[in-house]
Amino acid sequence: MREKKLEEWMKQYQKLIWSICYQMVHDEQAAEDLAQETFLSAWLHKEDCTEGFEKSWLARIAVNKAKDHLKSAYHRKVCPVEKELLTRETVCSAEDAFLEREGESTIAAVICAVPPPYAEVCELFYLKGYTPNEISMILDRKIKTVRTQLYRSKKQLSETILQQSMIQCS
């Protein structure tokens, strides 16, 4: 296969190959990179292509490149972090809005309103900045107990904040 043939394939199948890659990876830049890798691989393995089956051969290379990309360590480690950050931003937005509107004393009052045994843990964690391990030692409780109480107190705080936000909005 000459360079002329590769150029013809690129002109003819460029959009198809990019579309295949994009449908699999859902990222325009990655799809563009994978399309280029597909044509490079086709050039390097040109002797494997059966005459008349160029389109399906290129499509199969593109699918394999996309699968390899999705299985790569880079994709597994970087992409979930980006998704987690987006999720964290949307979850924290209500809490952030509350914190911006309310003063420190109001926040302290909300935290102190949490019923026992969560109040102590809540106060030490949110107001005084202790870690769960430190709270465990201070209160002489198991670390698992402290984490459970923090989890439950956070749910209660979220509900209280949400109720106060709804009252203020209406």
Side-chain angles (χ1 to χ4, degrees):
M1 176 172 71
R2 292 189 213 118
E3 288 181 34
K4 193 90 165 154
K5 190 70 167 175
L6 180 64
E7 285 180 36
E8 288 176 23
W9 285 359
M10 288 176 73
K11 286 179 185 173
Q12 188 173 2
Y13 302 117
Q14 184 175 6
K15 290 180 182 177
L16 171 70
I17 299 304
W18 183 88
S19 296
I20 290 170
C21 295
Y22 181 76
Q23 288 296 318
M24 293 187 71
V25 299
H26 304 288
D27 179 358
E28 291 180 17
Q29 190 64 44
E32 191 173 312
D33 292 343
L34 290 169
Q36 289 177 359
E37 288 179 29
T38 298
F39 286 111
L40 177 63
S41 183
W43 171 255
L44 294 174
H45 300 96
K46 55 190 171 256
E47 64 279 348
D48 295 340
C49 181
T50 307
E51 188 70 35
F53 294 96
E54 296 88 3
K55 183 177 179 180
S56 60
W57 183 67
L58 287 168
R60 176 51 45 200
I61 293 172
V63 166
N64 288 338
K65 291 288 180 189
K67 284 181 179 179
D68 289 345
H69 172 76
L70 293 172
K71 286 191 249 177
S72 72
Y74 172 81
H75 178 76
R76 284 194 318 265
K77 293 199 189 246
V78 173
C79 294
V81 170
E82 291 171 353
K83 289 175 186 171
E84 181 182 327
L85 288 175
L86 287 174
T87 305
R88 224 185 263 161
E89 287 172 5
T90 54
V91 168
C92 293
S93 62
E95 292 172 358
D96 292 341
F98 178 80
L99 291 173
E100 285 177 21
R101 274 196 322 271
E102 302 300 321
E104 198 170 312
S105 60
T106 307
I107 295 167
V110 170
I111 290 173
C112 291
V114 174
Y118 310 117
E120 293 172 300
V121 174
C122 229
E123 183 180 342
L124 290 171
F125 185 77
Y126 292 109
L127 296 178
K128 297 188 178 171
Y130 287 105
T131 65
N133 288 337
E134 293 169 332
I135 296 170
S136 172
M137 289 187 286
I138 292 169
L139 298 177
D140 194 31
R141 295 181 187 163
K142 293 179 181 177
I143 185 68
K144 180 71 175 164
T145 303
V146 169
R147 287 192 176 133
T148 301
Q149 290 173 340
L150 279 172
Y151 173 77
R152 291 177 181 167
S153 67
K154 185 173 182 175
K155 281 180 74 173
Q156 291 176 358
L157 287 170
S158 294
E159 290 171 6
T160 304
I161 290 170
L162 185 61
Q163 288 172 355
Q164 287 186 1
S165 295
M166 293 179 113
I167 291 170
Q168 289 177 355
C169 288
S170 52

